[in-house]
mmCIF file of all heavy atoms in Angstrom:
data_model
loop_
_atom_site.group_PDB
_atom_site.id
_atom_site.type_symbol
_atom_site.label_atom_id
_atom_site.label_comp_id
_atom_site.label_asym_id
_atom_site.label_seq_id
_atom_site.Cartn_x
_atom_site.Cartn_y
_atom_site.Cartn_z
ATOM 1 N N SER A 282 0.903 82.600 -3.788
ATOM 2 C CA SER A 282 0.151 81.341 -3.910
ATOM 3 C C SER A 282 0.034 80.648 -2.563
ATOM 4 O O SER A 282 -1.000 80.066 -2.230
ATOM 5 C CB SER A 282 0.838 80.422 -4.926
ATOM 6 O OG SER A 282 2.156 80.104 -4.505
ATOM 7 N N ALA A 283 1.102 80.710 -1.753
ATOM 8 C CA ALA A 283 1.040 80.100 -0.425
ATOM 9 C C ALA A 283 0.017 80.800 0.453
ATOM 10 O O ALA A 283 -0.739 80.165 1.195
ATOM 11 C CB ALA A 283 2.422 80.137 0.225
ATOM 12 N N CYS A 284 -0.021 82.151 0.353
ATOM 13 C CA CYS A 284 -1.010 82.895 1.143
ATOM 14 C C CYS A 284 -2.423 82.573 0.692
ATOM 15 O O CYS A 284 -3.350 82.453 1.507
ATOM 16 C CB CYS A 284 -0.738 84.389 1.043
ATOM 17 S SG CYS A 284 0.794 84.917 1.836
ATOM 18 N N ALA A 285 -2.596 82.418 -0.623
ATOM 19 C CA ALA A 285 -3.934 82.104 -1.135
ATOM 20 C C ALA A 285 -4.377 80.727 -0.687
ATOM 21 O O ALA A 285 -5.533 80.511 -0.286
ATOM 22 C CB ALA A 285 -3.936 82.198 -2.658
ATOM 23 N N SER A 286 -3.457 79.767 -0.741
ATOM 24 C CA SER A 286 -3.820 78.416 -0.299
ATOM 25 C C SER A 286 -4.095 78.383 1.187
ATOM 26 O O SER A 286 -4.991 77.673 1.662
ATOM 27 C CB SER A 286 -2.702 77.432 -0.663
ATOM 28 O OG SER A 286 -1.496 77.805 -0.012
ATOM 29 N N ALA A 287 -3.327 79.153 1.961
ATOM 30 C CA ALA A 287 -3.568 79.201 3.409
ATOM 31 C C ALA A 287 -4.907 79.834 3.714
ATOM 32 O O ALA A 287 -5.601 79.456 4.665
ATOM 33 C CB ALA A 287 -2.443 79.960 4.105
ATOM 34 N N ALA A 288 -5.277 80.834 2.888
ATOM 35 C CA ALA A 288 -6.571 81.486 3.121
ATOM 36 C C ALA A 288 -7.718 80.556 2.796
ATOM 37 O O ALA A 288 -8.782 80.613 3.423
ATOM 38 C CB ALA A 288 -6.648 82.752 2.285
ATOM 39 N N LEU A 289 -7.514 79.679 1.772
ATOM 40 C CA LEU A 289 -8.567 78.749 1.390
ATOM 41 C C LEU A 289 -8.576 77.492 2.234
ATOM 42 O O LEU A 289 -9.523 76.713 2.167
ATOM 43 C CB LEU A 289 -8.416 78.363 -0.096
ATOM 44 C CG LEU A 289 -8.608 79.500 -1.099
ATOM 45 C CD1 LEU A 289 -8.300 79.009 -2.502
ATOM 46 C CD2 LEU A 289 -10.024 80.069 -1.017
ATOM 47 N N ALA A 290 -7.508 77.228 3.019
ATOM 48 C CA ALA A 290 -7.448 76.026 3.846
ATOM 49 C C ALA A 290 -8.445 76.132 5.000
ATOM 50 O O ALA A 290 -8.830 77.223 5.421
ATOM 51 C CB ALA A 290 -6.030 75.828 4.380
ATOM 52 N N LEU A 291 -8.832 74.966 5.491
ATOM 53 C CA LEU A 291 -9.874 74.887 6.523
ATOM 54 C C LEU A 291 -9.360 74.065 7.686
ATOM 55 O O LEU A 291 -8.644 73.078 7.505
ATOM 56 C CB LEU A 291 -11.132 74.243 5.927
ATOM 57 C CG LEU A 291 -12.270 73.928 6.896
ATOM 58 C CD1 LEU A 291 -12.984 75.204 7.306
ATOM 59 C CD2 LEU A 291 -13.266 72.966 6.271
ATOM 60 N N ASP A 292 -9.732 74.461 8.885
ATOM 61 C CA ASP A 292 -9.460 73.660 10.070
ATOM 62 C C ASP A 292 -10.625 72.689 10.266
ATOM 63 O O ASP A 292 -11.743 73.107 10.602
ATOM 64 C CB ASP A 292 -9.291 74.550 11.302
ATOM 65 C CG ASP A 292 -8.029 75.385 11.238
ATOM 66 O OD1 ASP A 292 -7.142 75.038 10.430
ATOM 67 O OD2 ASP A 292 -7.940 76.386 11.967
ATOM 68 N N LEU A 293 -10.353 71.421 10.048
ATOM 69 C CA LEU A 293 -11.406 70.400 10.145
ATOM 70 C C LEU A 293 -11.613 70.045 11.609
ATOM 71 O O LEU A 293 -10.663 69.667 12.308
ATOM 72 C CB LEU A 293 -10.999 69.168 9.328
ATOM 73 C CG LEU A 293 -12.096 68.157 9.012
ATOM 74 C CD1 LEU A 293 -13.142 68.765 8.090
ATOM 75 C CD2 LEU A 293 -11.492 66.917 8.358
ATOM 76 N N LYS A 294 -12.849 70.168 12.072
ATOM 77 C CA LYS A 294 -13.147 69.972 13.495
ATOM 78 C C LYS A 294 -14.097 68.792 13.690
ATOM 79 O O LYS A 294 -14.879 68.456 12.814
ATOM 80 C CB LYS A 294 -13.776 71.241 14.087
ATOM 81 C CG LYS A 294 -12.868 72.465 13.999
ATOM 82 C CD LYS A 294 -13.553 73.687 14.573
ATOM 83 C CE LYS A 294 -12.670 74.925 14.465
ATOM 84 N NZ LYS A 294 -13.322 76.123 15.013
ATOM 85 N N GLY A 295 -13.995 68.229 14.862
ATOM 86 C CA GLY A 295 -14.883 67.132 15.218
ATOM 87 C C GLY A 295 -14.622 66.701 16.651
ATOM 88 O O GLY A 295 -13.828 67.306 17.371
ATOM 89 N N ARG A 296 -15.288 65.644 17.052
ATOM 90 C CA ARG A 296 -15.102 65.130 18.412
ATOM 91 C C ARG A 296 -15.378 63.634 18.440
ATOM 92 O O ARG A 296 -16.126 63.098 17.592
ATOM 93 C CB ARG A 296 -16.032 65.853 19.404
ATOM 94 C CG ARG A 296 -17.506 65.620 19.175
ATOM 95 C CD ARG A 296 -18.366 66.429 20.137
ATOM 96 N NE ARG A 296 -19.783 66.204 19.904
ATOM 97 C CZ ARG A 296 -20.477 65.213 20.475
ATOM 98 N NH1 ARG A 296 -19.877 64.379 21.318
ATOM 99 N NH2 ARG A 296 -21.771 65.066 20.233
ATOM 100 N N VAL A 297 -14.796 62.987 19.432
ATOM 101 C CA VAL A 297 -15.040 61.566 19.685
ATOM 102 C C VAL A 297 -16.109 61.457 20.753
ATOM 103 O O VAL A 297 -15.959 62.011 21.855
ATOM 104 C CB VAL A 297 -13.753 60.846 20.131
ATOM 105 C CG1 VAL A 297 -14.046 59.387 20.468
ATOM 106 C CG2 VAL A 297 -12.692 60.934 19.039
ATOM 107 N N GLN A 298 -17.191 60.811 20.418
ATOM 108 C CA GLN A 298 -18.304 60.659 21.365
ATOM 109 C C GLN A 298 -18.005 59.493 22.303
ATOM 110 O O GLN A 298 -17.756 58.362 21.860
ATOM 111 C CB GLN A 298 -19.606 60.410 20.601
ATOM 112 C CG GLN A 298 -20.838 60.370 21.481
ATOM 113 C CD GLN A 298 -22.105 60.199 20.653
ATOM 114 O OE1 GLN A 298 -22.041 59.942 19.450
ATOM 115 N NE2 GLN A 298 -23.246 60.353 21.289
ATOM 116 N N TRP A 299 -18.019 59.784 23.615
ATOM 117 C CA TRP A 299 -17.733 58.733 24.593
ATOM 118 C C TRP A 299 -18.916 57.783 24.705
ATOM 119 O O TRP A 299 -20.069 58.207 24.805
ATOM 120 C CB TRP A 299 -17.414 59.347 25.953
ATOM 121 C CG TRP A 299 -16.300 60.343 25.945
ATOM 122 C CD1 TRP A 299 -16.320 61.598 26.448
ATOM 123 C CD2 TRP A 299 -14.982 60.157 25.408
ATOM 124 N NE1 TRP A 299 -15.121 62.232 26.266
ATOM 125 C CE2 TRP A 299 -14.262 61.365 25.628
ATOM 126 C CE3 TRP A 299 -14.335 59.120 24.755
ATOM 127 C CZ2 TRP A 299 -12.952 61.547 25.235
ATOM 128 C CZ3 TRP A 299 -13.022 59.303 24.350
ATOM 129 C CH2 TRP A 299 -12.345 60.482 24.584
ATOM 130 N N THR A 300 -18.636 56.510 24.699
ATOM 131 C CA THR A 300 -19.653 55.445 24.767
ATOM 132 C C THR A 300 -19.239 54.446 25.849
ATOM 133 O O THR A 300 -18.118 54.519 26.380
ATOM 134 C CB THR A 300 -19.759 54.739 23.407
ATOM 135 O OG1 THR A 300 -18.487 54.153 23.071
ATOM 136 C CG2 THR A 300 -20.166 55.703 22.305
ATOM 137 N N PRO A 301 -20.112 53.513 26.189
ATOM 138 C CA PRO A 301 -19.701 52.489 27.172
ATOM 139 C C PRO A 301 -18.471 51.685 26.730
ATOM 140 O O PRO A 301 -17.688 51.235 27.577
ATOM 141 C CB PRO A 301 -20.938 51.587 27.275
ATOM 142 C CG PRO A 301 -22.079 52.492 26.944
ATOM 143 C CD PRO A 301 -21.552 53.419 25.901
ATOM 144 N N GLN A 302 -18.277 51.526 25.431
ATOM 145 C CA GLN A 302 -17.084 50.821 24.958
ATOM 146 C C GLN A 302 -15.832 51.681 25.084
ATOM 147 O O GLN A 302 -14.731 51.167 25.241
ATOM 148 C CB GLN A 302 -17.267 50.393 23.507
ATOM 149 C CG GLN A 302 -18.344 49.332 23.314
ATOM 150 C CD GLN A 302 -18.495 48.954 21.865
ATOM 151 O OE1 GLN A 302 -18.027 49.655 20.981
ATOM 152 N NE2 GLN A 302 -19.183 47.842 21.620
ATOM 153 N N CYS A 303 -16.012 52.994 25.001
ATOM 154 C CA CYS A 303 -14.882 53.927 25.118
ATOM 155 C C CYS A 303 -15.354 55.129 25.933
ATOM 156 O O CYS A 303 -15.769 56.155 25.377
ATOM 157 C CB CYS A 303 -14.412 54.346 23.725
ATOM 158 S SG CYS A 303 -12.977 55.427 23.724
ATOM 159 N N PRO A 304 -15.323 55.057 27.262
ATOM 160 C CA PRO A 304 -15.947 56.105 28.081
ATOM 161 C C PRO A 304 -15.085 57.340 28.309
ATOM 162 O O PRO A 304 -15.612 58.367 28.734
ATOM 163 C CB PRO A 304 -16.206 55.379 29.413
ATOM 164 C CG PRO A 304 -15.162 54.321 29.465
ATOM 165 C CD PRO A 304 -14.901 53.893 28.060
#
Side-chain angles (χ1 to χ4, degrees):
S282 61
C284 292
S286 61
L289 295 175
L291 173 74
D292 291 343
L293 195 66
K294 299 179 181 180
R296 65 183 180 88
V297 177
Q298 186 177 9
W299 304 128
T300 60
Q302 293 179 344
C303 183

